Amino acid sequence: MAMPLRQSIKVATYLAEQKLRRRDKFPLIVELEPLYACNLKCEGCGKIQHPAGVLKQRMPVAQAVGAVLESGAPMVSIAGGEPLMHPQIDEIVRQLVAKRKYVFLCTNALLLRKKMDKFKPSPYFAFAVHIDGLRERHDESVAKEGVFDEAVEAIKEAKRRGFRVTTNSTFFNTDTPQTIIEVLNFLNDDLKVDEMMISPAYAYEKAPDQEHFLGVEQTRELFKKAFAGGNRRRWRLNHSPLFLDFLEGKVDFPCTAWAIPNYSLFGWQRPCYLMSDGYVPTYRELVEDTDWDKYGRGKDPRCANCMAHCGYEPTAVLATMGSLKESLRAMRETVSGNRE
């Protein structure tokens, strides 16, 4: 795991505080969606299916920052839609960084070079660029030619200016171990991004393409082969070791979606950003008034093939914190990643 040491210490301290306070449910990272509008129409995305009136809305800065502060989470992932289309996205980031929140701005990078001057490098801030494959596969997944090349140039420019750059890659049943290896090798070795996040595609209810999502066994077999030969240890993956074990099928976990809650134009979304069973105005209501026991594989049929990080990464993190052996393992990988 290549998470910076300072960030690792802050997150570990935060988790220890929650344990001391005997809190059963708390947020690890908030998925903040200050708009749903996007400049792409990806086949696997359900956000742009909202009515035109909703797509025109932009969340006020005070509301966006206030939601993160209300939750108390140490980290926030700003998504959408395309957050760089928000006219005040730089102010949202600036205020969150000023509060020492670790901010990841998720972007398809089409506007990144144009908007980069609005941001300043900080150990609390990173651009998270979505890359689903090499040129042909990525452009096909976003339904537009030239997006991969623009994203690559934007990553190079951001790195040149001193920004931390991470990537997020979603893999479908059209992927093979080799296509995963190729894109992660490129991001890790050629572009030298700081961290990479990977995720098996989940059957998002509103997504136009419902045919290419992965099942649980497909996911395990795909990542087991992709991680072989020392790749997993060599890549700067932004995941806990136990979550990577989970993707390979070495361990299994229950879902803890409450730890990565979603806040959007409609409020706090139940139970996660991939499923919508209603919204509530406060994080406390989300945690206290949601029947979490009815969600997860074997409970809700919609969860049957889900292995998404929003539900299972926090479970892996909590399991790590609860085990001295796993804590030392994670620490070794963090220190090793920061030396490279």
Side-chain angles (χ1 to χ4, degrees), residues 117 233 238 326:
D117 286 338
R233 186 171 182 80
N238 186 22
E326 293 299 335

Side-chain angles (χ1 to χ4, degrees), residues 3-19:
M3 181 186 291
L5 190 58
R6 179 189 299 183
Q7 184 179 343
S8 298
I9 292 172
K10 181 166 183 175
V11 172
T13 301
Y14 169 79
L15 292 174
E17 289 174 353
Q18 307 313 305
K19 186 174 182 179

Side-chain angles (χ1 to χ4, degrees), residues 188-206:
N188 191 85
D189 302 336
D190 297 347
L191 286 187
K192 300 186 186 302
V193 299
D194 294 279
E195 302 166 358
M196 300 177 293
M197 190 172 79
I198 57 178
S199 183
Y202 166 74
Y204 202 168
E205 186 177 8
K206 291 185 178 181

Side-chain angles (χ1 to χ4, degrees), residues 21-310:
R21 295 177 183 180
R22 298 184 179 180
R23 290 179 176 169
D24 294 328
K25 294 180 176 62
F26 47 85
L28 187 61
I29 181 170
V30 170
E31 294 272 1
L32 176 66
E33 295 179 323
L35 80 171
Y36 287 135
C38 191
N39 48 5
L40 288 176
K41 296 181 179 180
C42 304
E43 291 297 311
C45 177
K47 299 297 181 180
I48 59 173
Q49 307 306 314
H50 289 287
V54 174
L55 294 179
K56 292 178 181 179
Q57 295 180 31
R58 305 292 184 264
M59 186 182 294
V61 173
Q63 181 182 344
V65 175
V68 176
L69 297 182
E70 176 216 342
S71 74
M75 300 180 288
V76 54
S77 173
I78 305 178
E82 171 52 55
L84 288 178
M85 292 176 64
H86 194 296
Q88 296 174 293
I89 189 61
D90 55 319
E91 182 61 18
I92 293 175
V93 169
R94 189 192 69 77
Q95 290 193 24
L96 289 171
V97 167
K99 296 293 185 181
R100 296 190 176 183
K101 301 295 183 182
Y102 284 93
V103 179
F104 298 86
L105 194 154
C106 304
T107 175
N108 58 39
L110 284 180
L111 295 172
L112 184 50
R113 286 198 286 177
K114 181 180 179 181
K115 304 279 189 177
M116 205 175 296
D117 286 338
K118 292 178 174 287
F119 304 90
K120 294 181 179 180
S122 166
Y124 290 95
F125 176 67
F127 290 114
V129 180
H130 203 95
I131 299 288
D132 281 347
L134 295 182
R135 182 180 291 108
E136 183 178 350
R137 293 188 69 82
H138 182 70
D139 287 355
E140 181 181 4
S141 73
V142 300
K144 186 174 181 178
E145 291 185 4
V147 176
F148 176 83
D149 289 338
E150 177 58 33
V152 168
E153 291 307 311
I155 289 172
K156 290 179 179 178
E157 178 64 13
K159 292 285 290 179
R160 186 186 69 79
R161 295 196 192 188
F163 288 98
R164 292 189 64 243
V165 180
T166 70
T167 55
N168 182 7
S169 301
T170 303
F171 298 111
F172 298 81
N173 65 11
T174 51
D175 277 292
T176 65
Q178 188 58 35
T179 62
I180 294 176
I181 291 169
E182 288 171 355
V183 68
L184 294 184
N185 276 346
F186 176 74
L187 296 172
N188 191 85
D189 302 336
D190 297 347
L191 286 187
K192 300 186 186 302
V193 299
D194 294 279
E195 302 166 358
M196 300 177 293
M197 190 172 79
I198 57 178
S199 183
Y202 166 74
Y204 202 168
E205 186 177 8
K206 291 185 178 181
D209 181 1
Q210 291 288 316
E211 298 180 2
H212 296 124
F213 294 106
L214 287 162
V216 170
E217 292 307 318
Q218 285 178 298
T219 297
R220 290 169 174 167
E221 191 65 21
L222 186 64
F223 286 107
K224 185 185 300 180
K225 291 179 179 179
F227 288 161
N231 286 329
R232 171 176 156 174
R233 186 171 182 80
R234 185 173 59 83
W235 290 329
R236 291 182 296 278
L237 297 173
N238 186 22
H239 295 288
S240 64
L242 277 178
F243 180 73
L244 298 177
D245 287 349
F246 169 75
L247 288 182
E248 287 193 69
K250 294 179 178 178
V251 296
D252 201 8
F253 293 122
C255 174
T256 50
W258 44 263
I260 305 186
N262 173 272
Y263 185 78
S264 70
L265 294 167
F266 301 138
W268 296 96
Q269 182 172 321
R270 286 195 178 112
C272 65
Y273 82 97
L274 293 169
M275 290 168 52
S276 180
D277 284 354
Y279 300 84
V280 292
T282 68
Y283 178 72
R284 174 172 289 184
E285 289 177 78
L286 175 73
V287 169
E288 295 180 356
D289 298 343
T290 302
D291 184 2
W292 298 104
D293 290 336
K294 73 178 184 180
Y295 296 106
R297 281 186 277 120
K299 298 177 180 179
D300 188 315
R302 295 172 296 176
C303 304
N305 288 313
C306 181
M307 294 182 72
H309 72 280
C310 65

